[in-house]
Amino acid sequence: MTVNSTHAMEAEAQFKIAQRAGGGGGGGQHLGSNKSLEVAGKEIADAADDETTVLLANKNFHFDTASELDEAFVELNGISAEEAMAASAEEPDNHTDQQHNPVTWLNDYEIDTLDLATLDIGNMFNRVDSQDIIYQQKKKNLKMVGKYVMGDVLGEGSYGKVKEAMDSENLCRLAVKILTKRKLRRIPNGEQNVTREIHLLKQLKHQNVVSLIDVLYNNEKQKMYLVMEYCVGGLQEMLDYAPNKKMPLFQAHGYFKQLVDGLEYLHGCRVIHKDIKPGNLLLTLDQTLKISDFGVAEQLDLFAPDDTCTTGQGSPAFQPPEIANGHETFSGYKVDIWSTGVTLYNLVTGLYPFEGDNIFRLLENIGRSQWVAPDWLFELDANFANLVLGMLQADPNKRLSLQQIRKDHWFISAPEVTGPPIPIPPLKGDEIRRSTVLPYLEAYHYGNEQEQEDVYFTEHDVNQQLAQRAAAAAAEIRAQQAAAAASALEPSTSAAAAALANGNREETASKKKGSSLKRRAKKLTSCISVRKLSHCRTS
Amino acid sequence: MFGNTLSDYKIISVLGKQNGKFCTVYMGKCGSPNYSIAIKKLCLEKTEDKELQNISDEIILTRQFRHPNINSILHSFVCNSDVYIITPFMWFRSCEDLLENLFPTGFSEPLIALILRDVLAALIYIHKNGIIHGSIKAGHILLDKKKAVLTCFRESRCFINHGKNSFVIRGISSGHKDIINWTAPEVLDQNLNGFTEKCDLYSIGIACCEIANGIKPYSEAQPTFMFTEKTRGNVPSLLDQSTCFHLMEEEGTIQFGTLTRKHEIYSQRIFSDEMHQFAEICLNRNPLNRWSAEKSITHSFFKQCRYTSISDQLQYTVLNLQDPFKIEDGALENTEESKNRFEDEPWDF
């Protein structure tokens, strides 16, 4: 990857605006809204907050939004709300006045607030010129939460961000899941799920289950911090990065064995995970697999006669037929077996046993009939095909149990090592995944030694950069495709197109995280595609 | 030879306590030839599960070693709710104790060479067996009249991961506050590059400075600062004539009684170029540029070991400590005496 971290971050922020605004405007259909924007002077206000990334040079943006929001803005600006309102009311669309317009500083959470406000209004949508969104290079200000030094963002989920951190006393690398109450309230059962997750994680202690180290609360900021052990990447991430989105058989075997170990422990603790999928399986530095995300997990009552469950809220593509068909009750442990089977199949082949154009079709397909293992799977490895088939039995009673899996031929075999395993993808260009906390510590301990000028750049710049990269990547892909087409006998056109799209995505993803914009935008519009369902969650 | 109950052993005195109240070390005797032993008592009830696992791993591992420079475990047993670990009695206990009680400004160069040579011999042995010690420091080097031995394999790591032998070890550092100051930067980095057995050589470098200066490394720095310093390649130095003046100039006005006296000693003594070079090689930021244990032991710094031995070097102390059973009582007085002696007599190397 060539783009530095700040760019990636900015691109995310940038996307956020586009997305949120689109949502507020009813799917981005109101782009033609006549409230055009004036270009504001890029006056630099002093930003004390280290999280400040986005400048909206447009005070008109939320001209008539909820008042609390405006107040928040104006506090940042140092002018009163009335003044701002009056000013914008007086001269809307006045380009001559641009030099005097103040710049509005937005923090990440304020962007979210924007969203809320926009949602309230419903129809309002503002067009923001890309030149007017100004980004500032992040300052590396040391931020401590308790005794933990915070680093860069590792990922972002629906609940909030996951940041890297370091224990300032023993220098262990950690991951911190930051949950904001506001975001939790937006998710159905959000707070309930989190409380359950914390409760569960506190009891669980196993090599293959992600361990919770600490929980911190900040009542002022309405935030909750879950300090967990550091994982260097997830299986989904590795698959996305790998060619054909699959891994060699022997590598999958290694992870599968650990997954079964972890699952056996969980089931022994009466815990049903219900959301086993590559995205929830993480890896530590030494390639130990960790089962994570217990948001929808359920712990059976100590006196429950059997493992009967009534609710399932996992990812659709990994749901067993009994949930797809909407059975009232079903066996909990067998749900995990099914998803483990889908996961294993997905790791090795890059495919899903059931697909569908949309979630309903998908669930219909899952529920309709017994899965039949394709012939080529038997050719690949007959033992493997049999194991997957055994785990993907539509009838829960026929489905293998963990004990049976342990005795399976493929499970106890040691598949031949064929070539190198697929690697953990680099994070923002860093192949060895250095600690992102270190730059913060350096800045803190050595202070102003290499202090740089504040760097500002506009969204326009970012977009142009993105476009250039995408063009370069596309050209590369085209060249590759041409070469491939020349050598191989022509594949079916649709497959070629898919490969092109895939390759393209990978290329851009590997080149820059900035393309997350593109990726997520895609997700927004095409929640229908099965591929992406693994990231979604039914409510 | 060793019994499984406490009554088989005669406890003579308490040598010290570690980790607060849960670990006590006794000096004892056992058997007909009146073999002197150290008995380590660990309270099981008050230790965490993880710690218990570590203890049993350590015992299992250490019992597999057969090397003169590795402190062997003669026996271990559980009695009531305590684990007892029987090891041979080491006359001078750990280097850390010696430094604290008798050598506030560090050991003499020949003694350092003797100690490090023995530690390196032990390291060659364990590295050949695919084990990394992981926590070499003065406190984990015990001294006998004849040799130095390496102890405490609690932080040891093995090259075998998930049933496969690998060339590097990756993972999160175990994060023991007591040892991170000695840990190599590549271990603290905790990234996908991982680390190799060379990390022990870095710890030797730090321990070398520790026993030469009598100062615990980074004792006053924040751990995070220690980390960034190591990442930048800044390391502690051997304090002698060549380095001490810089230090005094930098620090300017240190006029406390003990500190100045220490500084005087530092600024008067001279460590050989070989020793400086040895420490420099060990403390190289890049593990690839560090020498392996096997190569290190051939360094010219260890030439001086040929005509001397630990008992020669410690004969003053030996004279003072005729009766090992009085270590506890005598320790304080000896400290005063030795301090005076150091002031009166110039160092002879």
Side-chain angles (χ1 to χ4, degrees):
Chain A
M1 270 202 307
T2 48
V3 164
N4 63 30
S5 60
T6 37
H7 277 222
M9 221 141 306
E10 257 81 74
E12 271 173 26
Q14 157 207 3
F15 165 68
K16 221 177 275 169
I17 292 182
Q19 179 197 9
R20 299 266 150 74
Q29 297 308 311
H30 299 258
L31 270 170
S33 160
N34 52 6
K35 290 199 181 179
S36 78
L37 271 209
E38 71 257 73
V39 182
K42 284 144 197 170
E43 194 178 288
I44 292 147
D46 56 332
D49 197 313
D50 65 318
E51 290 210 354
T52 305
T53 45
V54 186
L55 285 141
L56 260 189
N58 168 24
K59 63 175 187 250
N60 214 14
F61 193 104
H62 284 97
F63 169 47
D64 42 11
T65 55
S67 60
E68 56 163 309
L69 199 66
D70 274 330
E71 271 158 28
F73 283 160
V74 177
E75 268 167 27
L76 279 162
N77 266 329
I79 344 162
S80 77
E82 288 82 354
E83 274 171 7
M85 300 275 256
S88 44
E90 272 165 26
E91 48 234 9
D93 307 334
N94 191 345
H95 286 255
T96 56
D97 225 32
Q98 49 186 259
Q99 282 83 356
H100 308 293
N101 287 333
V103 168
T104 312
W105 289 86
L106 293 181
N107 282 332
D108 286 0
Y109 62 90
E110 283 159 352
I111 296 172
D112 295 343
T113 330
L114 277 183
D115 171 25
L116 274 186
T118 325
L119 280 174
D120 289 344
I121 296 152
N123 278 334
M124 195 197 114
F125 182 75
N126 278 296
R127 179 172 175 150
V128 184
D129 199 272
S130 63
Q131 289 280 14
D132 300 342
I133 301 175
I134 311 162
Y135 297 117
Q136 183 192 14
Q137 201 99 34
K138 274 210 177 182
K139 283 184 195 162
K140 298 274 183 194
N141 282 346
L142 191 80
K143 193 174 155 195
M144 301 273 294
V145 174
K147 61 171 180 173
Y148 307 103
V149 190
M150 305 303 275
D152 284 349
V153 177
L154 293 174
E156 212 162 333
S158 49
Y159 291 171
K161 282 181 206 157
V162 179
K163 276 191 180 177
E164 198 194 322
M166 180 175 273
D167 189 322
S168 64
E169 287 170 10
N170 62 20
L171 303 179
C172 280
R173 278 179 93 175
L174 301 159
V176 178
K177 203 167 171 178
I178 304 167
L179 306 163
T180 49
K181 271 208 173 151
R182 197 172 38 73
K183 277 187 182 169
L184 277 186
R185 276 195 218 107
R186 270 196 252 166
I187 301 161
N189 296 329
E191 283 178 82
Q192 211 182 323
N193 286 353
V194 168
T195 341
R196 190 169 48 195
E197 183 170 3
I198 294 173
H199 176 72
L200 274 175
L201 282 174
K202 274 187 181 166
Q203 336 165 13
L204 299 173
K205 232 183 210 173
H206 188 269
Q207 193 193 336
N208 297 115
V209 176
V210 77
S211 64
L212 182 69
I213 290 161
D214 205 350
V215 184
L216 300 163
Y217 300 92
N218 186 337
N219 285 330
E220 262 173 48
K221 283 192 184 171
Q222 294 271 296
K223 276 183 178 174
M224 194 193 282
Y225 303 88
L226 305 188
V227 185
M228 320 238 240
E229 64 185 312
Y230 177 76
C231 289
V232 78
L235 293 188
Q236 187 65 52
E237 218 179 319
M238 287 167 75
L239 289 175
D240 286 344
Y241 183 71
N244 303 326
K245 300 200 175 300
K246 61 182 188 182
M247 59 174 72
L249 211 55
F250 75 94
Q251 195 178 8
H253 183 262
Y255 298 144
F256 179 66
K257 265 171 45 176
Q258 299 188 51
L259 173 58
V260 170
D261 283 349
L263 214 52
E264 204 167 38
Y265 171 79
L266 290 181
H267 289 183
C269 296
R270 315 187 313 280
V271 174
I272 299 158
H273 188 280
K274 291 192 187 171
D275 200 12
I276 300 283
K277 58 177 181 183
N280 284 340
L281 304 176
L282 308 179
L283 287 179
T284 61
L285 286 162
D286 61 355
Q287 295 276 310
T288 308
L289 180 129
K290 303 273 176 184
I291 302 174
S292 78
D293 196 347
F294 287 76
V296 296
E298 177 179 336
Q299 187 166 33
L300 298 168
D301 190 83
L302 195 54
F303 300 106
D306 54 19
D307 59 340
T308 306
C309 291
T310 52
T311 53
Q313 351 176 1
S315 317
F318 294 84
Q319 294 305 299
E322 58 267 30
I323 291 183
N325 287 337
H327 288 195
E328 292 269 298
T329 61
F330 47 86
S331 158
Y333 294 148
K334 291 294 167 83
V335 173
D336 279 350
I337 303 278
W338 174 280
S339 351
T340 307
V342 179
T343 304
L344 178 62
Y345 182 70
N346 181 241
L347 291 184
V348 173
T349 64
L351 305 170
Y352 293 89
F354 294 97
E355 308 215 351
D357 296 340
N358 57 42
I359 180 166
F360 303 109
R361 287 269 171 76
L362 173 69
L363 292 177
E364 202 178 284
N365 288 345
I366 294 174
R368 189 189 295 143
S369 60
Q370 167 63 41
W371 180 68
V372 185
D375 292 339
W376 53 263
L377 196 65
F378 283 97
E379 280 162 30
L380 181 76
D381 188 326
N383 285 337
F384 172 75
N386 280 327
L387 173 63
V388 176
L389 194 60
M391 293 169 82
L392 296 182
Q393 288 295 316
D395 182 357
N397 296 321
K398 283 188 194 161
R399 210 173 293 157
L400 296 178
S401 67
L402 280 177
Q403 289 73 27
Q404 284 167 317
I405 292 172
R406 277 204 175 281
K407 287 178 196 150
D408 181 83
H409 284 300
W410 188 74
F411 186 87
I412 54 180
S413 73
E416 195 187 339
V417 177
T418 49
I422 63 168
I424 292 167
L427 180 74
K428 292 171 192 164
D430 185 6
E431 298 213 347
I432 58 169
R433 300 238 178 180
R434 284 184 192 87
S435 168
T436 58
V437 179
L438 195 58
Y440 292 92
L441 289 178
E442 295 232 325
Y444 173 73
H445 284 301
Y446 305 106
N448 307 331
E449 270 178 38
Q450 67 255 53
E451 191 153 42
Q452 294 166 344
E453 286 272 298
D454 284 349
V455 183
Y456 295 94
F457 50 98
T458 66
E459 174 146 351
H460 186 70
D461 302 338
V462 177
N463 280 341
Q464 282 201 326
Q465 227 169 2
L466 287 182
Q468 276 173 12
R469 291 237 170 67
E476 206 176 302
I477 296 291
R478 237 171 275 132
Q480 277 176 13
Q481 283 294 315
S487 62
L489 287 173
E490 55 168 46
S492 77
T493 48
S494 64
L500 180 74
N502 273 343
N504 204 347
R505 231 182 92 184
E506 274 155 33
E507 277 301 315
T508 42
S510 65
K511 281 268 159 54
K512 61 201 174 253
K513 190 142 179 256
S515 69
S516 64
L517 180 148
K518 197 190 273 176
R519 211 182 309 161
R520 283 205 231 167
K522 234 185 212 170
K523 202 199 289 176
L524 242 191
T525 51
S526 64
C527 223
I528 308 141
S529 149
V530 190
R531 255 316 138 71
K532 272 145 211 138
L533 283 177
S534 59
H535 302 290
C536 302
R537 182 169 285 166
T538 54
S539 46
Chain B
M1 182 178 172
F2 301 101
N4 277 338
T5 50
L6 204 53
S7 57
D8 295 332
Y9 306 91
K10 198 172 121 198
I11 289 178
I12 291 163
S13 64
V14 179
L15 290 179
K17 294 195 170 193
Q18 294 171 0
N19 304 339
K21 285 178 183 174
F22 311 132
C23 173
T24 321
V25 185
Y26 301 96
M27 141 122 216
K29 295 237 170 193
C30 85
S32 48
N34 248 359
Y35 197 70
S36 293
I37 50 166
I39 305 170
K40 200 174 181 182
K41 178 179 137 185
L42 296 152
C43 183
L44 286 182
E45 278 177 356
K46 284 162 190 164
T47 33
E48 289 172 25
D49 289 356
K50 209 177 161 191
E51 185 68 14
L52 280 183
Q53 188 60 45
N54 282 346
I55 292 169
S56 77
D57 286 351
E58 186 195 358
I59 294 174
I60 292 168
L61 183 69
T62 316
R63 293 201 76 160
Q64 292 173 26
F65 293 137
R66 287 281 179 279
H67 192 272
N69 296 115
I70 290 173
N71 196 24
S72 51
I73 290 182
L74 300 171
H75 193 55
S76 61
F77 60 90
V78 180
C79 189
N80 298 328
S81 63
D82 301 310
V83 184
Y84 294 89
I85 303 170
I86 315 284
T87 57
F89 180 72
M90 290 292 144
W91 196 274
F92 298 110
R93 298 157 69 186
S94 75
C95 289
E96 198 174 55
D97 290 337
L98 265 187
L99 288 171
E100 250 173 51
N101 295 326
L102 296 168
F103 297 95
T105 53
F107 296 150
S108 65
E109 186 176 329
L111 183 56
I112 295 168
L114 284 164
I115 293 171
L116 292 184
R117 189 193 55 177
D118 283 358
V119 174
L120 280 173
L123 269 190
I124 293 172
Y125 175 77
I126 61 166
H127 286 177
K128 265 189 185 160
N129 284 295
I131 308 272
I132 290 176
H133 185 279
S135 60
I136 293 171
K137 57 181 232 174
H140 293 162
I141 302 170
L142 305 183
L143 284 186
D144 200 4
K145 279 178 188 165
K146 287 177 191 154
K147 61 182 182 184
V149 296
L150 197 55
T151 180
C152 191
F153 286 80
R154 194 158 301 179
E155 304 296 330
S156 66
R157 307 286 288 263
C158 183
F159 276 102
I160 294 168
N161 182 28
H162 295 304
K164 282 173 206 137
N165 209 342
S166 58
F167 297 105
V168 287
I169 298 180
R170 300 185 184 90
I172 299 297
S173 79
S174 60
H176 241 278
K177 272 184 234 165
D178 304 337
I179 61 154
I180 47 170
N181 289 350
W182 284 264
T183 310
E186 70 267 20
V187 181
L188 294 174
D189 278 343
Q190 303 166 69
N191 58 31
L192 285 173
N193 265 355
F195 55 92
T196 63
E197 77 283 350
K198 295 282 181 67
C199 69
D200 278 344
L201 274 302
Y202 190 91
S203 304
I204 285 210
I206 300 267
C208 177
C209 294
E210 184 190 10
I211 58 179
N213 301 335
I215 304 171
K216 287 193 179 184
Y218 302 104
S219 52
E220 276 160 28
Q222 289 175 6
T224 50
F225 183 65
M226 181 270 294
F227 181 34
T228 48
E229 282 282 285
K230 280 185 181 172
T231 320
R232 295 188 152 204
N234 300 348
V235 287
S237 55
L238 299 165
L239 296 174
D240 73 346
Q241 213 169 34
S242 59
T243 51
C244 206
F245 280 119
H246 296 294
L247 203 86
M248 286 178 107
E249 275 168 23
E250 273 174 30
E251 293 186 10
T253 52
I254 311 170
Q255 300 302 335
F256 303 107
T258 51
L259 261 180
T260 32
R261 213 188 299 162
K262 270 190 170 185
H263 270 150
E264 259 171 44
I265 296 171
Y266 290 146
S267 54
Q268 277 165 15
R269 68 182 177 184
I270 300 169
F271 286 128
S272 67
D273 287 346
E274 282 88 12
M275 182 166 173
H276 281 287
Q277 199 203 11
F278 174 75
E280 204 178 299
I281 295 169
C282 285
L283 291 173
N284 205 313
R285 168 76 174 90
N286 184 354
L288 297 174
N289 296 341
R290 271 175 232 152
W291 290 11
S292 69
E294 260 173 323
K295 193 176 175 190
S296 296
I297 210 166
T298 62
H299 192 276
S300 50
F301 169 51
F302 296 109
K303 270 185 191 165
Q304 55 191 307
C305 301
R306 245 176 260 168
Y307 307 109
T308 178
S309 69
I310 289 181
S311 54
D312 286 349
Q313 288 299 320
L314 284 171
Q315 48 180 303
Y316 282 126
T317 335
V318 176
L319 287 175
N320 288 333
L321 298 176
Q322 275 297 326
D323 191 357
F325 312 128
K326 284 186 182 166
I327 287 180
E328 200 64 358
D329 318 320
L332 280 174
E333 296 159 28
N334 287 337
T335 320
E336 289 307 312
E337 267 181 45
S338 63
K339 265 184 192 164
N340 295 333
R341 197 176 60 237
F342 283 131
E343 277 164 44
D344 300 336
E345 289 176 33
W347 285 70
D348 56 333
F349 297 115

